Amino acid sequence: MQNIPEKRRDTGSPRGPASRDGEGHGDAAQGKLQADAERETLMMELTRLVQKSVKESSWWERRGIDCSILTAAFISLPAGFLLLGSSQPLYFLLGMLIMGVAHAVITVKGTHLSSHGALSESPAWADFWAVFFIEVCGSFSARAGVQAHVKMHHAHTNVIGLGDSSTWKIPFLSRSVYLFIAPLAVPIITPIVAIGQLKGQSPLQIVRTVLCVCLGFFSQYYLLRSVSGLSCSSALVVMLLCRAMFSLPYIHVNIFQHIGLPMFSATNRPKRIYQMTHGVLNLPRNPLLDWTFGHSLINCHVEHHLFPFLSDNMCLKVKPIVSQYLKEKKLPYQEDGYVSRLCLFFHKYQELMVFAPPITELVGIQ
């Protein structure tokens, strides 16, 4: 992790000959303009490199691989429902595993990609997939989800009061409860939060969200009853267990990659390339989480925040380009292990998850 010294503020009055004739202020202004131009050039240069790679990629690389993974998750569902109807414990557990993995792929990877419009080049289809994955499959409001994630978190990454990931903090919970027990309640909390997010939306959007969430919930419940042959209570328990199977890493990933990194003031934030490289962290490759959550949420999170329109596979493809460029320009490319971050949050829970974070000012680049 990189320690970033705070920028010193000059509160005194200008001194010296340069301040008397105004040349000092002119030189400072010119220097600032040159620095701003250089920073814009950095982001533009990196963008050109990434866009070149995207243009040279086939549809299969840009969207096909991720669409295939999502399709495979849906195709596996019938086997999961059938196995859950087995009286053999081993087959039943295998059915639970299939349902849990499929649910994670659909509701984490699917909702995330659809919220960014990364599943289709057509705006109409992009809107359809956002409603389908976020509302029908994810039991949340598509409008509220896109607003919170894309328009707030991405636009204002690590900016205090805007995109600082504070929504993930529950200060009154102890560290053990928050890190290892509370995430299991995510399947119950999600639709409750969704109801609260309906305030201020149009009647049509409210009706659509309620109908879509109910459609997704009762479809799974009906199939567990009719195909798997489970009782009412057993079907509800299985739904809860399957939906909560990946809740622990889901919460962990969302806090590990931003909280504890530099936070910025809304009135004095750095340029985009500095904001993202200092405020975002990559986790290492993980075969299970790479497939269920997607590369953009795990080992390519820096790339995702710099270029949020890219699919998971494209984030992975441009990762060498981005990492090499940032290192050549002596910009941070932050990486840390899952266990390392978990230990950090466990031992510094009060500092990271309870107290207000300090504001960082990057020396010489404001």
Side-chain angles (χ1 to χ4, degrees):
M1 302 300 295
Q2 181 175 354
N3 293 323
I4 304 167
E6 293 189 357
K7 178 184 176 183
R8 291 176 296 182
R9 298 184 183 274
D10 184 5
T11 56
S13 58
R15 297 186 184 91
S19 65
R20 285 195 296 270
D21 59 15
E23 293 179 1
H25 290 294
D27 292 342
Q30 184 178 2
K32 186 177 186 304
L33 288 174
Q34 291 176 347
D36 287 344
E38 181 182 354
R39 288 193 290 274
E40 291 298 335
T41 302
L42 288 176
M43 190 65 206
M44 290 169 61
E45 184 178 4
L46 178 58
T47 300
R48 283 195 295 269
L49 293 173
V50 170
Q51 287 180 341
K52 181 176 182 292
S53 178
V54 172
K55 290 179 180 179
E56 293 173 350
S57 302
S58 64
W59 177 88
W60 176 252
E61 292 177 303
R62 295 196 310 271
R63 306 185 195 277
I65 292 177
D66 292 299
C67 289
S68 297
I69 294 172
L70 291 171
T71 301
F74 282 105
I75 291 175
S76 70
L77 290 177
F81 283 114
L82 291 173
L83 289 169
L84 285 170
S86 174
S87 58
Q88 297 294 326
L90 185 60
Y91 291 156
F92 181 83
L93 291 176
L94 180 59
M96 285 281 292
L97 179 61
I98 292 174
M99 289 287 290
V101 171
H103 183 269
V105 172
I106 294 167
T107 61
V108 180
K109 181 184 178 74
T111 57
H112 186 234
L113 290 177
S114 64
S115 70
H116 287 282
L119 293 177
S120 175
E121 296 179 3
S122 165
W125 275 109
D127 291 340
F128 170 81
W129 290 124
V131 172
F132 175 74
F133 280 104
I134 299 174
E135 297 190 350
V136 177
C137 303
S139 302
F140 201 75
S141 164
R143 182 176 181 273
V146 171
Q147 174 68 27
H149 181 70
V150 179
K151 297 182 180 180
M152 291 300 292
H153 174 63
H154 271 272
H156 308 286
T157 301
N158 284 29
V159 174
I160 299 294
L162 294 173
D164 57 1
S165 299
S166 60
T167 55
W168 297 103
K169 296 183 179 182
I170 311 178
F172 62 84
L173 293 181
S174 67
R175 60 185 179 181
S176 297
V177 171
Y178 181 89
L179 291 173
F180 305 112
I181 299 175
L184 300 176
V186 166
I188 299 173
I189 296 173
T190 300
I192 295 175
V193 174
I195 294 173
Q197 295 294 324
L198 295 178
K199 183 179 180 182
Q201 296 190 25
S202 67
L204 183 61
Q205 289 174 326
I206 293 174
V207 171
R208 185 200 68 193
T209 299
V210 172
L211 290 177
C212 287
V213 170
C214 291
L215 174 63
F217 180 88
F218 285 108
S219 294
Q220 186 181 16
Y221 175 78
Y222 173 78
L223 291 172
L224 287 171
R225 293 294 308 276
S226 61
V227 178
S228 305
L230 301 179
S231 64
C232 175
S233 58
S234 296
L236 292 174
V237 170
V238 167
M239 288 178 65
L240 177 62
L241 293 177
C242 291
R243 293 177 177 224
M245 190 175 292
F246 285 85
S247 292
L248 285 175
Y250 174 74
I251 294 297
H252 292 169
V253 165
N254 275 285
I255 63 174
F256 288 173
Q257 295 179 317
H258 294 286
I259 296 176
L261 300 178
M263 295 285 172
F264 309 108
S265 166
T267 58
N268 197 23
R269 67 170 72 186
K271 293 294 183 180
R272 177 178 174 79
I273 193 167
Y274 289 97
Q275 179 184 352
M276 300 307 170
T277 54
H278 285 87
V280 186
L281 175 144
N282 282 346
L283 295 172
R285 293 292 299 269
N286 182 302
L288 181 59
L289 296 182
D290 284 349
W291 281 83
T292 52
F293 289 6
H295 298 294
S296 61
L297 288 178
I298 305 298
N299 65 303
C300 301
H301 205 53
V302 173
E303 290 76 10
H304 172 61
H305 268 261
L306 286 169
F307 305 100
F309 58 89
L310 296 180
S311 65
D312 287 333
N313 185 67
M314 281 308 303
C315 282
L316 183 63
K317 183 175 181 179
V318 304
K319 181 182 176 73
I321 298 173
V322 174
S323 61
Q324 181 181 355
Y325 181 85
L326 295 180
K327 290 172 183 177
E328 286 178 354
K329 301 300 180 181
K330 301 191 183 321
L331 291 168
Y333 186 76
Q334 305 194 80
E335 300 175 289
D336 199 4
Y338 188 103
V339 175
S340 173
R341 296 297 287 175
L342 182 60
C343 291
L344 174 69
F345 275 74
F346 186 81
H347 294 296
K348 294 188 176 182
Y349 180 77
Q350 291 284 326
E351 176 184 338
L352 297 174
M353 301 299 292
V354 177
F355 301 142
I359 295 177
T360 300
E361 295 185 5
L362 305 180
V363 176
I365 64 172
Q366 291 297 99

